[in-house]
Amino acid sequence: LYDVEDPAKNKPRFWEELFLMKVNLEYLEGKLESLDGDEVTKIRDNINRLFQHCVQTLSEEHQIKVVNALQTLCALFRGVHQKNKSTSGFDIINVLMGFDKAEQRMKELMESLDALLCGDGSESLKSLCLKLLLCLVTVTDNISQNTLLEYIMINSIFEAVLQVLSVAPCRTQHGYDAVVLLALLVNYRKYESVNPYIAKLSIVDDENTLNGLGMVISQALSEYNRQYKDKEEENQGGFFSAFTSMVGSMFIADAEEKLSVQTNEAILLALYEAVHLNRNFIAVLVQSHPEVDIASTPTTPVPATPTTPLGTTPPSLDLMNSAELPLDPNLQTSNLLITFLKYSSIVMQDTKDEHRLNSARLCLIILTCIAEDQYANAFLHDDNMNFRVNLHRMPMRHRKKPVERNIPSRPLVCAVLDLMVEFIVSHMMKDFPMDLYMRCVHVIHKLICYQKKCRVRLHYTWQDLWSALINLLKFLLSNETTLLSKHNIFPLMLLVVNLFNMFITYGDTFLPTPSSYDALYYEIVRMHQVFDNLYCMVLRVSTNAGQWKESASKVTQALVNVRAIINHFNPKIESYAAVNHISQLSEDQVLEVVRSNYDTLTLKLQDGLDQYERYSEQPKEVTFFKDLARSISLNVRRNVSLNALSQDVLLKEFSTIS
């Protein structure tokens, strides 16, 4: 290879014999990387020849040759790209294949990979094909700058990937890699050109394929949830538990640090693309199956790789083996949506780390898409479909950890609302995640819009939501100066106030009982000081000539009905207390005053409260998804280079066959 001469010039069987030899991947990659630009140019013809013969060898029947050819291609792709990072001025395609032959070579390569993936051959070979594709897709940090991917767009392997997902034994072995590959291919130049993988994914309607995709995602998220739960239980036992209970909660931060399990953004991205692009996938999201405790399920031991971070490895093979799980009437039912909600409740606890912040944002984007979908909403709100969802809650000094067995069985929308309430109460901090709060309140608003439209009377503890929203307003007011130096907080305030306006204006159409409506008024009157302070603050900002003038004035206008309620009921409550010589009214007495004074209350009709802007990826989310795809590409490349090419195992397998 490193001689300018054609190595097969005087050796007619050179190429035939070469692929019978074990590939020294490290040497080949390292050598390509160490050559300077001129040396690469000199041996370009030989690199072209090697690439050509690798591709030709893939169609041979001799399995060891095919294995060695696939691994050599991995080394070529990686070595040449690494070289390109340090030396600009040569074209990767030209170095690997030659401009004039590139189209034909890549066509042959993709056809061979397609045939190997769809054929009845060895599972190890299929695994190696997917590893090669992952290697090829992730050789550049930014996948959209990977010119080789144009050939994968032209010579689609979409159908081959779907076949992997639709057949149970194949999915068991290769589903994880197939799903990650699909997520990355969908994100190639998705904003600059027509990506055929996006179009194809959006119209998939084959039940087996969609179920297979859902199963792989579900098992990967379940594996993460299990790892987190194991770590949590480990930290709660023994000396650590005794010690922390003795000294109080001063070690809560340390405990959280120890519970950190690396998030799996690639699988989350795959879930997002499926939910966002394919309407048929919503049915998979909510398809019920018995909940299996992964920890107690016998699994085939998978060799652990210390260098692979927790949460990024595919789940144990047996768990993905079949869609048919044992039906036991005592088992709690579950579905992909429940698994996802549990996963979200973990990653949304701590948003200080960049990966977890990205995961939390992506979870909220997925929930936004779900909250807008009519079919998903119908399922979420179905009173005949009840589930117990054990969400993880952040350890906080002022509350006890909930007891799992007390979780009621309710429609799934209650779990979504619980998750949003949990986020609101647990992230009021100096480094305020404004973007996440906006998304969170939008999700609540969209769910309530559905309830109002379809007159769904949900039996939910609405006081928890109202209390969380009022405390959020209180926090924003208390930290006005600090927050305004970084954020425009008024759109968030407006969203929160308009949620109250939704309850005030339309609450009689979706609150479960008249007493719920009374409780709403009681809460507004009880916490009137927060709304009074908010009004003073937004009035001050809207009358000054500052940059937030317009945003603040919208909040001023939105407060009209909340203020009308406070100004109407407060004097009535004070009068009742004075007449009856009571210094402190009970809740029942206040509610009695509220009920008997509705008739004289005048409210203004506010337009557009049940309208919202539908989620659109472009242009708002473009930067986020580009950065996310880059982060995933780097992580996949790291893991592929560590785990993909276990040569000894492969060669041992095929030497017994050949």
Side-chain angles (χ1 to χ4, degrees):
L1 177 61
Y2 303 110
D3 196 339
V4 181
E5 289 290 315
D6 179 355
K9 193 174 181 182
N10 300 313
K11 300 170 189 169
R13 292 178 58 83
F14 175 81
W15 295 110
E16 198 176 322
E17 291 170 0
L18 178 71
F19 292 107
L20 287 170
M21 294 165 63
K22 183 178 173 181
V23 187
N24 189 335
L25 289 164
E26 227 170 84
Y27 175 79
L28 185 53
E29 265 186 70
K31 191 69 178 171
L32 284 166
E33 200 180 331
S34 67
L35 297 170
D36 67 34
D38 289 341
E39 287 174 316
V40 171
T41 307
K42 281 177 188 172
I43 63 161
R44 194 193 72 203
D45 287 346
N46 276 348
I47 295 174
N48 287 179
R49 288 186 190 104
L50 179 57
F51 192 95
Q52 175 193 347
H53 285 281
C54 282
V55 173
Q56 286 173 355
T57 304
L58 295 184
S59 55
E60 289 209 15
E61 285 183 21
H62 200 301
Q63 304 277 275
I64 283 187
K65 285 186 176 182
V66 178
V67 169
N68 286 325
L70 285 167
Q71 295 186 327
T72 305
L73 284 167
C74 273
L76 282 174
F77 284 130
R78 280 209 295 256
V80 171
H81 272 88
Q82 284 300 114
K83 175 74 249 156
N84 189 46
K85 279 184 180 178
S86 55
T87 314
S88 56
F90 69 89
D91 190 284
I92 287 160
I93 293 171
N94 198 29
V95 170
L96 282 172
M97 296 166 270
F99 288 130
D100 53 337
K101 300 285 195 309
E103 206 166 311
Q104 184 58 32
R105 293 279 177 271
M106 286 302 290
K107 184 174 186 288
E108 289 167 7
L109 172 60
M110 299 313 294
E111 284 173 355
S112 292
L113 292 175
D114 191 285
L116 287 166
L117 284 171
C118 297
D120 299 325
S122 157
E123 295 303 327
S124 299
L125 264 185
K126 290 181 183 181
S127 177
L128 200 50
C129 288
L130 285 165
K131 299 295 185 189
L132 172 61
L133 285 163
L134 283 170
C135 166
L136 171 54
V137 170
T138 60
V139 282
T140 55
D141 295 354
N142 179 352
I143 57 170
S144 294
Q145 289 175 354
N146 185 348
T147 48
L148 287 168
L149 288 193
E150 280 301 322
Y151 298 108
I152 302 184
M153 296 295 123
I154 298 163
N155 306 289
S156 175
I157 48 140
F158 184 80
E159 286 72 20
V161 172
L162 290 201
Q163 186 164 323
V164 169
L165 295 174
S166 61
V167 181
C170 202
R171 177 177 63 243
T172 303
Q173 303 250 6
H174 320 299
Y176 184 88
D177 282 347
V179 166
V180 172
L181 177 64
L182 187 59
L184 287 167
L185 288 172
V186 164
N187 279 272
Y188 171 71
R189 301 193 67 195
K190 57 158 46 170
Y191 309 113
E192 296 102 63
S193 61
V194 177
N195 181 326
Y197 289 82
I198 292 176
K200 289 182 178 192
L201 180 58
S202 66
I203 58 170
V204 175
D205 58 1
D206 179 70
E207 205 174 320
N208 283 342
T209 304
L210 291 173
N211 284 341
L213 174 60
M215 209 172 298
V216 174
I217 294 169
S218 182
Q219 296 297 354
L221 297 182
S222 295
E223 178 73 6
Y224 176 94
N225 295 349
R226 183 192 64 76
Q227 288 179 16
Y228 181 86
K229 194 175 179 184
D230 287 352
K231 278 198 156 198
E232 194 177 39
E233 286 169 2
E234 189 184 304
N235 282 345
Q236 282 169 0
F239 172 77
F240 182 78
S241 176
F243 190 63
T244 47
S245 61
M246 180 175 69
V247 296
S249 53
M250 61 188 281
F251 289 117
I252 279 175
D254 293 341
E256 278 302 289
E257 196 63 37
K258 289 184 181 183
L259 288 177
S260 181
V261 180
Q262 184 165 330
T263 53
N264 194 332
E265 292 158 317
I267 284 292
L268 211 51
L269 179 62
L271 175 59
Y272 163 75
E273 297 297 358
V275 169
H276 178 233
L277 294 173
N278 192 302
R279 290 296 311 279
N280 303 313
F281 191 75
I282 294 292
V284 175
L285 203 61
V286 298
Q287 187 171 307
S288 297
H289 59 73
E291 188 169 54
V292 175
D293 184 358
I294 295 179
S296 63
T297 308
T299 61
T300 307
V302 177
T305 311
T307 43
T308 305
L310 280 172
T312 59
T313 48
S316 305
L317 300 184
D318 283 5
L319 296 174
M320 293 166 62
N321 211 9
S322 75
E324 296 301 318
L325 294 167
L327 285 171
D328 179 342
N330 300 316
L331 273 178
Q332 163 72 11
T333 51
S334 186
N335 56 40
L336 172 52
L337 183 54
I338 291 173
T339 304
F340 167 66
L341 290 173
K342 288 180 180 178
Y343 178 89
S344 300
S345 72
I346 297 169
V347 298
M348 283 163 61
Q349 285 182 30
D350 175 17
T351 55
K352 296 183 187 77
D353 164 76
E354 187 192 352
H355 288 286
R356 294 171 80 82
L357 178 67
N358 285 340
S359 288
R361 183 176 287 129
L362 192 44
C363 286
L364 285 166
I365 291 174
I366 293 167
L367 284 168
T368 301
C369 295
I370 291 168
E372 288 183 5
D373 187 273
Q374 193 77 2
Y375 179 80
N377 264 311
F379 180 86
L380 285 173
H381 291 86
D382 189 339
D383 213 20
N384 299 312
M385 300 291 288
N386 293 328
F387 300 88
R388 283 187 182 86
V389 184
N390 177 31
L391 299 174
H392 292 263
R393 282 155 51 102
M394 191 187 285
M396 292 172 78
R397 290 173 178 81
H398 62 276
R399 69 178 184 191
K400 290 179 180 176
K401 192 171 171 63
V403 182
E404 286 185 26
R405 64 176 175 273
N406 292 341
I407 297 164
S409 188
R410 305 172 296 171
L412 262 184
V413 68
C414 296
V416 180
L417 288 168
D418 281 351
L419 182 62
M420 298 301 96
V421 168
E422 174 61 21
F423 180 84
I424 290 170
V425 300
S426 59
H427 288 78
M428 296 180 208
M429 51 197 181
K430 284 181 183 175
D431 192 10
F432 188 70
M434 172 63 79
D435 172 67
L436 300 189
Y437 267 98
M438 289 292 288
R439 293 177 193 277
C440 179
V441 180
H442 272 302
V443 169
I444 297 167
H445 179 239
K446 285 167 184 181
L447 293 172
I448 291 173
C449 285
Y450 175 84
Q451 291 164 26
K452 179 254 172 186
K453 178 185 167 190
C454 298
R455 294 184 172 263
V456 177
R457 295 193 183 277
L458 184 69
H459 288 271
Y460 182 70
T461 48
W462 290 111
Q463 283 91 335
D464 289 351
L465 174 62
W466 300 331
S467 172
L469 292 171
I470 290 169
N471 282 325
L472 173 56
L473 290 175
K474 199 173 176 181
F475 173 82
L476 294 172
L477 289 167
S478 304
N479 296 275
E480 175 195 345
T481 312
T482 314
L483 291 171
L484 279 176
S485 65
K486 298 175 187 173
H487 311 285
N488 176 4
I489 60 175
F490 299 104
L492 179 57
M493 288 175 163
L494 181 64
L495 273 175
V496 171
V497 171
N498 276 339
L499 271 184
F500 280 101
N501 285 328
M502 279 285 289
F503 282 100
I504 293 164
T505 311
Y506 303 118
D508 59 331
T509 66
F510 64 83
L511 285 171
T513 60
S515 62
S516 308
Y517 200 65
D518 301 337
L520 166 68
Y521 278 65
Y522 173 81
E523 199 62 26
I524 291 170
V525 171
R526 186 177 76 86
M527 300 301 288
H528 71 90
Q529 196 64 57
V530 176
F531 291 106
D532 292 344
N533 293 345
L534 175 63
Y535 181 73
C536 292
M537 183 263 205
V538 291
L539 190 65
R540 167 171 48 82
V541 176
S542 62
T543 49
N544 291 340
Q547 65 181 122
W548 313 122
K549 184 181 169 80
E550 197 178 330
S551 292
S553 68
K554 287 179 183 174
V555 184
T556 314
Q557 291 156 25
L559 278 164
V560 59
N561 282 341
V562 173
R563 296 192 70 244
I565 290 165
I566 292 166
N567 294 334
H568 176 74
F569 287 107
N570 259 356
K572 300 278 192 290
I573 291 164
E574 286 165 13
S575 170
Y576 181 92
V579 168
N580 293 283
H581 308 290
I582 305 167
S583 59
Q584 190 75 41
L585 295 187
S586 69
E587 184 178 335
D588 287 341
Q589 288 168 326
V590 172
L591 284 168
E592 183 52 44
V593 174
V594 168
R595 287 189 200 101
S596 54
N597 286 282
Y598 275 131
D599 294 349
T600 50
L601 173 66
T602 307
L603 297 175
K604 286 188 177 177
L605 189 63
Q606 292 174 303
D607 293 328
L609 292 174
D610 57 345
Q611 305 297 311
Y612 58 80
E613 187 183 343
R614 289 189 68 83
Y615 171 77
S616 172
E617 194 178 302
Q618 283 184 270
K620 290 181 183 175
E621 313 294 350
V622 170
T623 305
F624 170 67
F625 280 105
K626 281 184 175 177
D627 290 346
L628 188 68
R630 178 188 289 266
S631 168
I632 291 167
S633 178
L634 283 165
N635 198 36
V636 170
R637 182 167 75 223
R638 227 171 7 243
N639 288 334
V640 168
S641 63
L642 290 168
N643 305 329
L645 313 170
S646 50
Q647 286 176 291
D648 293 337
V649 176
L650 285 162
L651 294 175
K652 188 178 177 184
E653 177 186 339
F654 293 120
S655 59
T656 57
I657 300 169
S658 303

